[in-house]
C-alpha cells in the first residue's frame, strides 16, 4: 500500500504565535465526509471534523515553529520546519507527500527517501491536504485561545489586535521580525 500524506499549515500571516503544520494520511477508500479547505468551513464544522480526522485517519502528525524560530529563520523557513516536525510526529512514514503551496520543505533525513509534490490550492483539491489544513488550523486556534487568557489585553482573534499591539507594545508571543511589531517596538517608552 502506498501511503500519501497531505501537509498544510496555519498561521503564516498573524503577528503573534507559532506557525503550525499538520500532516495526514487518510485511509484509502474511506473518505471523511465534509473534509474541505479549513478556510471554507465554520469554526464549529472545523472542530467537528478535527475530531473525526484524528479518529479516522490512518495517521497524522502536528508540528510547530514558535515566534522565536520565525524571527530567527523567516516565516517560510519556519513553516518548512513545522512541516518537517509534523512528518516526524507521525507514527507511519509516508511514501509520497502532497504539500499545499508552490514550494516544498527539505524532506531529506526523515527515515527514507520521500517523493513530494507542491500543489497550489491543494487544500481545495486534495482531501489529505484539506484534512491537514483542518488539523493545523484547529491546533493553532486552540493554542491562541489559551494564550488569549494569558495575554487578554491583545485580543489575538480580534480585528482590533493591531491597535492593541500599538497601545500595549508587543508581548512575548509577538513576531519581532514582522513590520507592525517592529513599529510597535519603536513606539514603546
Amino acid at each position: 500500500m502506498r501511503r500519501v500524506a497531505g501537509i498544510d499549515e496555519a498561521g503564516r500571516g498573524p503577528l503573534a504565535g507559532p506557525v503550525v503544520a499538520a500532516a495526514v494520511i487518510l485511509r484509502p477508500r474511506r473518505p471523511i465526509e465534509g473534509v474541505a479547505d479549513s478556510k471554507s468551513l465554520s469554526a464549529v464544522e472545523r472542530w467537528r471534523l478535527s475530531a473525526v480526522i484524528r479518529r479516522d485517519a490512518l495517521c497524522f502528525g502536528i508540528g510547530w515553529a514558535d515566534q522565536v524560530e520565525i524571527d530567527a529563520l523567516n516565516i517560510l523557513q519556519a513553516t518548512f520546519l513545522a512541516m518537517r516536525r509534523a512528518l516526524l510526529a507521525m507514527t507511519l512514514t509516508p511514501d509520497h507527500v502532497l504539500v499545499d503551496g508552490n514550494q516544498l520543505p527539505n524532506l531529506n533525513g526523515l527515515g527514507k527517501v520521500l517523493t513530494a509534490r507542491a500543489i497550489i490550492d491543494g487544500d481545495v483539491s486534495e482531501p489529505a491536504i484539506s484534512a491537514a489544513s483542518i488539523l493545523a488550523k484547529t491546533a493553532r486556534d486552540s493554542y491562541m485561545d489559551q494564550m488569549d487568557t494569558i495575554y487578554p489585553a491583545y485580543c489575538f482573534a480580534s480585528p482590533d489586535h493591531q491597535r492593541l499591539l500599538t497601545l500595549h507594545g508587543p508581548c512575548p508571543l509577538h513576531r519581532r521580525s514582522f513590520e507592525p511589531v517592529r513599529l510597535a517596538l519603536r513606539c514603546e517608552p
Side-chain angles (χ1 to χ4, degrees), residues 25-64:
I25 301 174
L26 294 174
R27 294 181 186 277
R29 298 174 293 282
R30 286 191 54 198
I32 297 174
E33 188 69 34
V35 166
D37 173 20
S38 66
K39 294 180 290 297
S40 70
L41 301 170
S42 70
V44 169
E45 193 63 6
R46 274 193 305 271
W47 286 104
R48 184 191 73 75
L49 284 166
S50 175
V52 173
I53 293 162
R54 287 170 181 265
R55 182 191 70 211
D56 292 349
L58 184 61
C59 181
F60 71 90
I62 298 177
W64 306 68

Side-chain angles (χ1 to χ4, degrees), residues 5-6 11-12 18 24 32 37 45 53 59 72-73 77-78 85 109 119 138-139 163 172 183:
R12 279 182 72 165
V24 177
I32 297 174
D37 173 20
E45 193 63 6
I53 293 162
C59 181
L73 299 172
Q77 294 308 312
R85 288 174 173 166
I119 303 172
T138 54
R163 183 186 69 75
L183 291 173

Side-chain angles (χ1 to χ4, degrees), residues 103-142:
Q103 297 180 56
L104 294 171
N106 178 351
L107 299 175
N108 294 329
L110 294 176
K112 69 179 185 181
V113 176
L114 304 177
T115 59
R117 182 166 57 116
I119 303 172
I120 296 171
D121 295 327
D123 50 358
V124 175
S125 62
E126 293 291 335
I129 296 176
S130 299
S133 79
I134 292 166
L135 292 188
K137 174 81 170 127
T138 54
R140 186 178 193 287
D141 285 354
S142 178

Side-chain angles (χ1 to χ4, degrees), residues 124-184:
V124 175
S125 62
E126 293 291 335
I129 296 176
S130 299
S133 79
I134 292 166
L135 292 188
K137 174 81 170 127
T138 54
R140 186 178 193 287
D141 285 354
S142 178
Y143 176 80
M144 292 307 291
D145 287 347
Q146 292 172 34
M147 292 302 102
D148 207 41
T149 64
I150 296 170
Y151 301 103
Y154 294 94
C155 299
F156 290 119
S158 159
D160 212 22
H161 173 76
Q162 196 158 343
R163 183 186 69 75
L164 295 169
L165 168 64
T166 303
L167 179 66
H168 300 296
C171 76
L173 286 181
H174 283 99
R175 300 171 180 180
R176 274 129 174 92
S177 60
F178 281 41
E179 185 65 21
V181 178
R182 281 199 306 264
L183 291 173

Side-chain angles (χ1 to χ4, degrees), residues 19 65-66 69-70 73-83:
V19 62
D66 67 20
E69 292 169 315
I70 292 167
L73 299 172
N74 74 45
I75 188 60
L76 178 62
Q77 294 308 312
T79 299
F80 289 161
L81 177 61
M83 289 178 175

